[in-house]
Amino acid sequence: LLIAVSLGGIALEQFSYDLRGDVLTVFLTPKAGMIPPSAVSAKASDFRYDLIITVNAADLASLGGTYAHHREFFARTPVVNLDCQPANEHYGQINAVDLTAAAASEVTYDLLPAFGAPLPPSRELATALLSGIIDATRSFRSVRVTAKTLGIASALVDAGANREGIVRALFQSHSMAALKLWGRTLARLRASADGRLVWAAVPQGDFLEAEATLDDLPGVTDALLGYLPNAEVAVLLAERNGEIIVRLTSLRHLPALQLARQFPAQGDRRSASWRVTGQPLPETERHVVAAVQAALAELTR
């Protein structure tokens, strides 16, 4: 809120304020004369930021609470939309959407000259961009990897990107508890007849035995989708503290939220999650798997 006072040449001797409960009182003391109440006006201020840049978000809903809680800000502020997903809704005032790119980092690299950034980029920027490419392509195992992707990755390595550090941070920095939990989860792995849907239900006891937490679980999903050639959707059901946390992850641009539309899921096209209470794990597993299989069959007819 902007409060403006037209002083009309009156010199100000003192300014102070007092906050009591919910009431803010502002004191303006002129050196001489008086400031009339009509000299005071108030209006809403502009937003602190004058530009929004979204990366790898197919639609504004993918931003979750960031968009849901600040809709007016998004409505009044220009958006630069950087993405490579075919499902992108081109919601920005500037839409840099390259459907041939394997990662949003690849799109960003192409735009560096337009941003005024030098090529080759700095070591820090090269490492950040290569991190995005390696993560999005699961270390170049994605079917979307092209010769251009490999060329950009090579240029980033030449610019000093720390490939070994990236791989170590993304794939080789798991705790002993996480590895124990992964082993128990993989032992419970099941798949549909065609291999397109894979899932695992992890009971409370597995977390206790592995001395693990929910934070140790997400890497399992990426491992499932990265190493199973036919897998398109992975579902993990984790039983913790009297409730079941369900996480659905989709590959090959199948919309995760549509696959989970029967449930109160939140997320985006890549992943969706929700919680189930008051049901045993086996029953929840059967219900979720049947619903996702039906949705998967409908979406890929």
Side-chain angles (χ1 to χ4, degrees):
L1 180 69
L2 291 180
I3 300 174
V5 181
S6 179
L7 295 177
I10 298 175
L12 194 63
E13 181 177 0
Q14 187 177 2
F15 164 80
S16 61
Y17 69 90
D18 180 40
L19 180 61
R20 294 187 180 183
D22 293 333
V23 178
L24 173 67
T25 303
V26 179
F27 301 93
L28 301 176
T29 306
K31 289 185 176 180
M34 63 177 294
I35 301 172
S38 59
V40 181
S41 63
K43 66 176 183 179
S45 68
D46 293 331
F47 292 105
R48 179 180 301 178
Y49 306 105
D50 56 11
L51 180 66
I52 299 169
I53 300 176
T54 62
V55 182
N56 205 38
D59 50 38
L60 290 174
S62 301
L63 302 175
T66 300
Y67 172 66
H69 299 152
H70 305 283
R71 289 178 182 269
E72 184 180 358
F73 173 51
F74 278 84
R76 294 172 52 188
T77 307
V79 176
V80 177
N81 168 26
L82 307 181
D83 198 11
C84 61
Q85 303 177 66
N88 190 281
E89 295 183 355
H90 291 77
Y91 50 82
Q93 280 64 48
I94 298 176
N95 297 291
V97 180
D98 184 357
L99 303 186
T100 67
S105 288
E106 190 175 330
V107 179
T108 306
Y109 178 87
D110 287 338
L111 290 173
L112 289 181
F115 293 155
L119 287 179
S122 66
R123 176 185 174 90
E124 292 77 13
L125 181 54
T127 299
L129 292 173
L130 186 60
S131 297
I133 292 176
I134 291 177
D135 184 49
T137 63
R138 292 179 175 79
S139 196
F140 304 101
R141 291 193 298 270
S142 169
V143 295
R144 299 192 64 188
V145 172
T146 65
K148 180 184 176 183
T149 307
L150 297 176
I152 291 176
S154 177
L156 293 173
V157 171
D158 290 342
N162 184 2
R163 182 182 180 279
E164 292 76 15
I166 294 169
V167 172
R168 183 168 56 252
L170 289 177
F171 306 114
Q172 300 174 356
S173 59
H174 306 298
S175 66
M176 180 63 71
L179 294 176
K180 289 180 180 179
L181 183 62
W182 286 21
R184 293 175 179 275
T185 303
L186 293 175
R188 299 182 183 279
L189 182 64
R190 302 181 63 185
S192 59
D194 56 8
R196 298 171 63 198
L197 171 64
V198 294
W199 73 92
V202 188
Q204 173 90 11
D206 283 5
F207 286 93
L208 297 176
E209 290 292 333
E211 299 180 336
T213 68
L214 284 174
D215 293 336
D216 297 314
L217 197 56
V220 181
T221 305
D222 294 332
L224 296 180
L225 293 177
Y227 291 102
L228 296 174
N230 295 326
E232 298 180 11
V233 180
V235 176
L236 284 177
L237 303 96
E239 184 181 36
R240 293 287 289 168
N241 301 323
E243 65 178 4
I244 300 169
I245 296 91
V246 185
R247 184 188 182 200
L248 183 152
T249 303
S250 172
L251 195 63
R252 301 177 187 173
H253 307 290
L254 292 171
L257 281 177
Q258 288 193 40
L259 291 169
R261 62 180 180 271
Q262 293 191 27
F263 307 100
Q266 294 183 338
D268 52 32
R269 295 185 62 87
R270 176 79 167 82
S271 64
S273 61
W274 65 97
R275 296 173 183 265
V276 179
T277 58
Q279 291 185 7
L281 183 59
E283 180 181 338
T284 302
E285 178 184 1
R286 289 192 296 270
H287 182 204
V288 169
V289 170
V292 173
Q293 280 185 310
L296 180 59
E298 182 178 338
L299 285 174
T300 55
R301 282 175 182 167

